[in-house]
């Protein structure tokens, strides 16, 4: 991996659950470009999965628990990153959660608790992770998160997740302003629908998938590899002048007015 465009860089990856995770697609692209990686897992349920995938990036790839709703786990995770890698150049935040009921009924019925949980895990966690990573990013670097069109326009049933993604995209801009002087760039990828664990449970997901095929300019859905390659671009010096942005990887769907 000596000659890759990310050789010598250390990347921290939040959000791999299985091989279909968007985080895994981006991690594979980073690893193939020569980055050394550290992975989180959310809890024991996905630990073995993540350990197995991480080993594909190198035999000593560190894997550690980090529930991003817990400040103590974020602190402990970055202690481990410091001891195992000594530095951070890249951070991938590919984490979202809202209670299932909140994605089923009407947005107007969102409870205070569901609103708080969705924003805590899906938006605030980017702020917390960025603050913990920044002291290790002494030579600057790139922070990448994942968003979705429901941040900007109403997508039926996306509900409180759309509001949380709007907060996430605004957080990207404010983080870009704060961390820019340290040469840390912060950007979001707004991906079209991808058939992952987080999407599969959603009723009507297949109809939405077909709707994109019918209406997006490219007349197809995006692939995990395409999202991975944009993640690689945003991590690399090829995007050195880009920060605070939301980049659409959606077959062009978001430009359509009808
Ligand atoms: P996924 O289920 O593979 O990934 C979601 C991840 O979030 C999982 O790894 C899960 O463990 C993690 N997570 C949830 N709560 C957490 C917590 N408290 N602490 C730590 N980790 C936690 O699904 P995905 O589709 O790859 O989702 C990744 C990101 O991509 C999300 O931000 C999602 O909103 C975004 N996204 C997905 C799509 C899509 O259609 N799949 C489209 C656009 C954006
Ligand atoms: O961000 C997402 C989904 C994130 C997500 C998924 C779940 C399912 C299981 C967050 N929380 C939960 N909670 C659960 O209990 N996407 C962009 C995928 C997605 O989800 C939708 C979509 C799309 C696209 C929900 C409704 C409408 C469209």
């Amino acid at each position: 991996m000596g000659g890759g465009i990310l050789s010598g860089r250390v990347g921290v990856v939040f959000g791999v659950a299985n091989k279909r995770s968007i985080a895994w697609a981006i991690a594979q692209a980073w690893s193939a470009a020569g980055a050394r990686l550290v992975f989180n897992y959310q809890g024991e349920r996905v630990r073995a999965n993540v350990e197995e995938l991480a080993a594909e990036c190198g035999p000593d790839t560190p894997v550690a628990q980090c529930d991003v709703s817990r400040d103590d786990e974020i602190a402990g995770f970055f202690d481990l990153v410091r001891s195992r890698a000594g530095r951070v150049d890249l951070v991938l935040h590919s984490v979202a959660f809202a209670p299932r009921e909140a994605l089923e009924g009407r947005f107007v019925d969102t409870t205070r608790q569901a609103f708080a949980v969705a924003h805590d895990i899906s938006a605030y966690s980017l702020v917390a992770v960025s603050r913990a990573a920044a002291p290790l990013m002494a030579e600057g670097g790139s922070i990448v998160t994942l968003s979705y069109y429901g941040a900007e326009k109403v997508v039926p049933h996306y509900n409180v997740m759309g509001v949380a993604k709007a907060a996430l995209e605004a957080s990207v801009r404010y983080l870009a302003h704060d961390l820019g002087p340290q040469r840390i760039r912060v950007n979001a990828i707004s991906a079209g629908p991808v058939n992952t664990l987080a999407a599969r449970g959603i009723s009507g997901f297949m109809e939405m998938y077909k709707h994109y095929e019918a209406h997006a300019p490219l007349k197809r859905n995006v692939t995990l590899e395409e999202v991975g390659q944009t993640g690689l671009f945003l991590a690399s010096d090829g995007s050195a002048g880009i920060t605070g942005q939301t980049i659409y990887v959606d077959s062009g769907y978001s430009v359509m007015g009808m």
Side-chain angles (χ1 to χ4, degrees), residues 3-258:
I5 58 174
L6 298 183
S7 71
R9 314 267 174 102
V10 173
V12 174
V13 176
F14 288 92
V16 176
N18 58 39
K19 66 180 191 325
R20 297 234 283 261
S21 293
I22 291 173
W24 177 238
I26 296 174
Q28 283 177 291
W30 286 6
S31 178
R36 285 187 295 141
L37 302 180
V38 182
F39 290 85
N40 93 314
Y41 61 89
Q42 180 189 353
E44 290 302 323
R45 273 182 307 113
V46 292
R47 176 184 196 150
N49 258 345
V50 179
E51 284 175 345
E52 199 173 302
L53 291 169
E56 292 183 25
C57 298
D60 298 318
T61 302
V63 175
Q65 174 156 327
C66 183
D67 180 327
V68 298
S69 67
R70 298 189 49 139
D71 289 332
D72 57 335
E73 292 196 12
I74 293 174
F77 181 80
F78 279 96
D79 284 346
L80 176 122
V81 172
R82 184 188 294 277
S83 70
R84 294 289 301 272
R87 61 183 277 150
V88 172
D89 302 278
L90 315 171
V91 176
L92 176 61
H93 174 277
S94 183
V95 170
F97 181 78
R100 176 171 295 283
E101 322 79 78
L103 302 176
E104 285 169 351
R106 301 193 305 164
F107 174 68
V108 70
D109 293 326
T110 306
T111 63
R112 189 181 301 277
Q113 177 65 10
F115 191 100
V117 167
H119 282 71
D120 185 24
I121 296 174
S122 312
Y124 179 74
S125 65
L126 177 69
V127 182
V129 163
S130 297
R131 186 169 60 249
L136 290 165
M137 300 176 80
E139 294 176 42
S142 174
I143 299 174
V144 178
T145 188
L146 270 297
S147 193
Y148 174 64
Y149 189 48
E152 209 186 300
K153 292 285 193 281
V154 174
V155 175
H157 305 300
Y158 199 60
N159 293 2
V160 71
M161 272 307 308
V163 181
K165 290 298 194 190
L168 179 74
E169 292 181 10
S171 299
V172 162
R173 293 186 283 271
Y174 280 90
L175 289 167
H177 172 254
D178 281 352
L179 302 178
Q182 289 169 237
R183 293 193 293 142
I184 299 171
R185 300 183 293 106
V186 188
N187 294 288
I189 296 171
S190 185
V194 183
N195 198 3
T196 63
L197 186 64
R200 227 175 313 148
I202 276 124
S203 68
F205 185 81
M206 281 321 289
E207 285 101 294
M208 179 168 31
Y209 208 70
K210 293 216 173 71
H211 183 81
Y212 268 70
E213 277 176 9
H215 297 287
L218 294 180
K219 295 288 176 276
R220 62 174 178 80
N221 281 283
V222 296
T223 65
L224 281 165
E225 290 70 27
E226 288 167 339
V227 180
Q229 288 303 307
T230 301
L232 175 58
F233 167 66
L234 287 174
S236 74
D237 295 341
S239 61
I242 301 178
T243 194
Q245 298 297 325
T246 298
I247 310 280
Y248 280 81
V249 181
D250 68 344
S251 304
Y253 183 84
S254 59
V255 307
M256 301 303 296
M258 198 184 151

